[in-house]
């Protein structure tokens, strides 16, 4: 049965098709020109989503992109790990920037809460001898998801329950202090002080808290449309990414259902966001990485520094086997290609079209991080356009070589390119008419 017959609102998942930082924030913002709701489904304030509107730059971490569009509802789903202090800081900063937050932003009562001992454990384990250093964002994300899956986490509903909060913090601190001391020689945390701070934060968070699964399903029934906002990217997904160099959540499109309580049967389309090249921040496999002047040039032109940590991002050429894999595990029907302008200076653009492992062609992603060392990338050189694209607003007006580049991506991935981004600003966007029609953006 199609959506129209069911008379409910349309839905689309925005998913990072690479290693994160593909420009998801900008694209979510473009979609909110007609979508009613944006629901974040995974991750926490490890994310940094940049939105630029008329030259003014916002970096969102926990709050979904819809907040910047008056009248759009933003929802932090149950799949998110919420740091109460980071949340309140972000809400305050948005308020100072003149953004109306109250009444437009809701937090799931089932989202997990990040507490200071999660950061303590992460710091200890990242620096411990004998442990694999992931190069995390040090926000306590991994340990908080560990507690969730270990069924000993604190959820937002529990944060609002003063007695339960007190007991939870007391018990958790006793345990974590003992483990932290024994394993990492960490300084113990003061449970009383923590309780006071988090009980006060809870009071400020309470007005935002809802059963967001009910909220979202109702909104759909009322005909409202929803963008599910992914954080991180496919190759950082806990199952499908370059494990263990991944984040601790389901960042792929399946996470949109489990992370919001909207069932898979109500998801209409999946939109994969990819840069016209590749970046990665933190440790782990990156087959097309450039460690030479060309990589440095991409970093400079693309301003490739982490939105959250400021770390320089690693850079490389577009990796089509990786993108095909992202297409498969996410079910991507539309691709959005961002940062096309970053390649404007090139007269030739190498693209990885296949992997060989031990001399044999393969379409599979290695299951072990160490196997990536044996991957030999097969490159094809595409024609560059060597002309600025950031002022182009129509697909037909792109240089012929740029259109060829995009057509090649379509041919190699089987997904259609629905939107092209040629600069950070909301306005620096090319929409393909068929995409506009299908997504109802007109
Ligand atoms: P996200 O985490 O996927 O939302 O992406 P980030 O915001 O972390 O990183 C993307 C960066 O690229 C941000 O600085 C954006 O402002 C910028 N950006 C997005 N689209 C474009 C584009 O088409 N061209 C250029 N030059 N920059 C872009
Ligand atoms: P957005 O949503 C890019 C990376 C970290 C590290 C690994 C694990 O802006 O695309 P974590 O703190 O999550 O345990 O770190 O994942 N990482 C990101 N890289 N963009 C992100 O988010 C990321 N969030 C986490 O650098 O390698
Ligand atoms: Mg980012």
């Amino acid at each position: 049965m199609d959506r129209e017959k069911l008379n409910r609102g349309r839905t689309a998942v925005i998913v990072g098709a690479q290693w994160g930082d593909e420009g998801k924030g900008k694209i979510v913002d473009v979609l909110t020109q007609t979508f009613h709701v944006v629901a974040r489904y995974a991750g926490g304030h490890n994310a940094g989503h940049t939105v630029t509107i008329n030259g003014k730059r916002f970096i969102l971490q926990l709050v979904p992109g819809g907040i910047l569009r008056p009248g759009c509802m933003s929802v932090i789903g149950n799949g998110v790990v919420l740091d109460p202090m980071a949340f309140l800081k972000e809400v305050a900063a948005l308020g100072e920037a003149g953004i109306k937050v109250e009444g437009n932003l809701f937090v799931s009562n089932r989202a997990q809460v990040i507490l200071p001992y999660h950061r303590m454990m992460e710091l200890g384990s990242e620096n411990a001898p004998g442990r694999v250093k992931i190069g995390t964002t040090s926000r306590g994300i991994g340990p908080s998801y560990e507690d969730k899956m270990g069924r000993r986490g604190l959820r937002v509903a529990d944060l609002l329950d003063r007695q339960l909060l007190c007991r939870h913090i007391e018990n958790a601190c006793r345990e974590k202090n003992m483990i932290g001391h024994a394993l990492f020689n960490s300084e113990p945390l003061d449970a009383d002080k923590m309780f006071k701070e988090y009980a006060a934060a809870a009071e400020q968070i309470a007005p935002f808290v809802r059963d967001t699964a009910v909220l979202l399903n109702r909104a759909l029934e009322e005909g409202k449309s929803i963008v599910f906002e992914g954080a991180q990217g496919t190759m950082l997904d806990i199952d499908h990414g370059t494990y263990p160099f991944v984040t601790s959540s389901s960042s792929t499109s399946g996470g949109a259902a489990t992370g919001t309580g909207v069932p898979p049967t109500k998801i209409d389309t999946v939109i994969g966001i990819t840069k016209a090249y590749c970046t990665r921040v933190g440790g782990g496999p990156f087959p097309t990485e450039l460690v030479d002047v060309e990589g440095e040039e991409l970093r400079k032109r693309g301003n490739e520094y982490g939105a959250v940590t400021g770390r320089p991002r690693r850079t490389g050429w577009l990796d089509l086997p990786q993108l095909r894999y992202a297409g498969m595990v996410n079910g991507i029907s539309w691709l959005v290609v961002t940062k096309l302008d970053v390649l404007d200076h090139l007269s030739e653009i190498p693209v990885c079209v296949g992997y060989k492992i031990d001399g044999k062609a393969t379409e599979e992603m290695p299951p072990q991080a160490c196997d990536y060392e044996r991957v030999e990338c097969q490159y094809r050189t595409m024609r560059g356009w060597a002309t600025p694209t950031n002022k182009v607003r129509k697909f037909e007006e792109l240089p012929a070589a740029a259109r060829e580049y995009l057509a090649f991506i379509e041919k190699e991935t089987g997904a259609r390119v629905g939107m092209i981004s040629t600069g950070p600003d909301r306005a620096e966007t090319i929409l393909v008419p068929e995409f506009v029609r299908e997504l109802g953006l007109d």
Side-chain angles (χ1 to χ4, degrees):
M1 231 184 299
D2 68 20
R3 189 183 49 74
E4 270 65 33
K5 286 193 201 121
L6 294 168
N7 212 18
R8 64 159 167 82
R10 67 183 73 234
T11 58
V13 182
I14 289 289
V15 70
Q18 300 169 315
W19 279 273
D21 300 330
E22 298 91 348
K24 299 176 292 294
K26 170 180 166 164
I27 304 310
V28 166
D29 173 64
V30 172
L31 294 184
T32 59
Q33 70 187 50
T34 56
F35 275 77
H36 301 104
V37 183
V38 180
R40 188 49 201 279
Y41 63 82
H45 64 315
N46 48 349
H49 297 168
T50 316
V51 181
T52 310
I53 306 167
N54 296 327
K56 191 164 165 43
R57 203 161 80 117
F58 299 87
I59 295 178
L60 299 165
Q61 292 193 256
L62 273 163
V63 179
I67 204 71
L68 302 175
R69 192 78 76 160
C72 188
M73 187 200 283
S74 288
V75 170
I76 296 178
N78 57 275
V80 171
V81 283
L82 186 105
D83 180 320
M85 303 312 175
F87 173 78
L88 291 173
K89 200 167 146 207
E90 196 172 335
V91 165
L94 285 165
E96 275 161 30
I99 308 291
K100 185 179 176 303
V101 177
E102 282 80 12
N104 287 335
L105 175 63
F106 301 100
V107 175
S108 167
N109 52 12
R110 288 171 170 79
Q112 291 283 323
V113 177
I114 300 184
L115 286 149
Y117 46 76
H118 292 130
R119 282 188 297 278
M120 172 180 90
M121 298 306 269
E122 180 167 358
L123 196 73
S125 79
E126 275 283 270
N127 295 314
R131 292 256 190 143
V132 178
K133 192 174 168 68
I134 308 296
T136 69
T137 60
S138 333
R139 300 295 193 267
I141 305 293
S144 162
Y145 278 113
E146 277 180 50
D147 278 354
K148 171 179 178 170
M149 292 311 187
R151 297 164 297 181
R152 53 177 180 269
L154 182 87
R155 307 210 289 185
V156 168
D158 310 325
L159 176 74
L160 306 188
D161 180 335
R162 225 181 134 80
Q163 274 187 351
L164 197 154
L165 178 68
C166 184
R167 221 174 34 243
H168 186 96
I169 289 187
E170 210 178 281
N171 289 334
C173 275
R174 190 179 332 106
E175 243 185 47
K176 307 285 182 192
N177 281 342
M178 279 168 73
I179 299 171
H181 178 75
L183 292 183
F184 314 124
N185 207 19
S186 312
E187 284 293 315
L189 295 167
D190 180 340
D192 286 343
K193 185 166 163 274
M194 197 184 296
F195 169 65
K196 284 196 189 88
E197 286 171 7
Y198 282 75
E203 281 180 27
Q204 293 184 63
I205 291 172
F208 296 97
V209 179
R210 295 286 186 285
D211 184 325
T212 52
V214 171
L215 196 75
L216 291 169
N217 281 288
R218 252 188 219 148
L220 275 181
E221 276 169 32
E222 288 164 8
K224 301 215 171 85
S225 50
I226 303 180
V227 181
F228 298 97
E229 181 187 77
Q232 291 78 52
T234 303
M235 303 312 280
L236 292 175
D237 181 276
I238 186 72
D239 290 286
H240 305 293
T242 50
Y243 193 89
F245 299 95
V246 292
T247 191
S248 297
S249 63
S250 296
S251 42
T252 44
S253 60
T258 55
T260 61
V262 174
T265 45
K266 289 186 183 164
I267 292 177
D268 298 324
T269 188
V270 178
I271 305 169
I273 318 300
T274 174
K275 284 178 185 170
Y277 51 99
C278 252
T279 64
R280 164 163 212 166
V281 53
F286 184 1
T288 62
E289 182 168 15
L290 293 164
V291 286
D292 53 10
V293 286
E294 281 186 304
E296 186 54 43
E297 183 73 12
L298 284 180
R299 187 173 307 115
K300 250 191 7 229
R301 288 184 55 87
N303 191 24
E304 296 295 359
Y305 295 89
V308 174
T309 57
R311 289 181 290 176
R313 294 179 186 142
R314 299 155 65 191
T315 53
W317 300 123
L318 188 67
D319 184 337
L320 290 169
Q322 181 275 315
L323 212 51
R324 282 195 283 271
Y325 174 74
M328 178 182 79
V329 296
N330 291 298
I332 293 172
S333 42
W334 291 100
L335 279 172
V336 172
V337 179
T338 63
K339 305 193 99 161
L340 191 76
D341 55 300
V342 176
L343 305 183
D344 283 352
H345 63 303
L346 297 168
S347 52
E348 287 187 333
I349 308 169
V351 177
C352 172
V353 291
Y355 286 178
K356 273 189 181 172
I357 296 182
D358 303 332
K360 271 211 197 122
T362 178
E363 269 301 310
E364 292 182 19
M365 292 285 129
Q368 288 187 290
C370 58
D371 289 337
Y372 277 90
E373 282 159 30
R374 289 164 32 232
V375 169
E376 271 174 76
C377 288
Q378 310 296 302
Y379 287 96
R380 166 171 168 167
T381 304
M382 301 293 293
R383 210 154 61 93
W385 42 96
T387 178
T389 55
N390 66 317
K391 298 265 183 319
V392 178
R393 295 289 176 270
K394 285 199 178 127
F395 185 80
E396 317 78 80
E397 288 164 14
L398 277 170
R403 280 182 278 133
E404 273 168 33
Y405 190 74
L406 297 167
F408 188 64
I409 295 175
E410 289 190 325
K411 179 174 145 284
E412 292 283 311
T413 60
R416 287 165 295 172
V417 173
M419 205 194 300
I420 301 110
S421 173
T422 60
D425 207 276
R426 188 187 262 181
E428 289 166 314
T429 308
I430 300 168
L431 285 153
V432 173
E434 209 189 328
F435 180 76
V436 170
R437 266 196 307 279
E438 191 174 310
L439 273 285
L441 294 172
D442 38 6

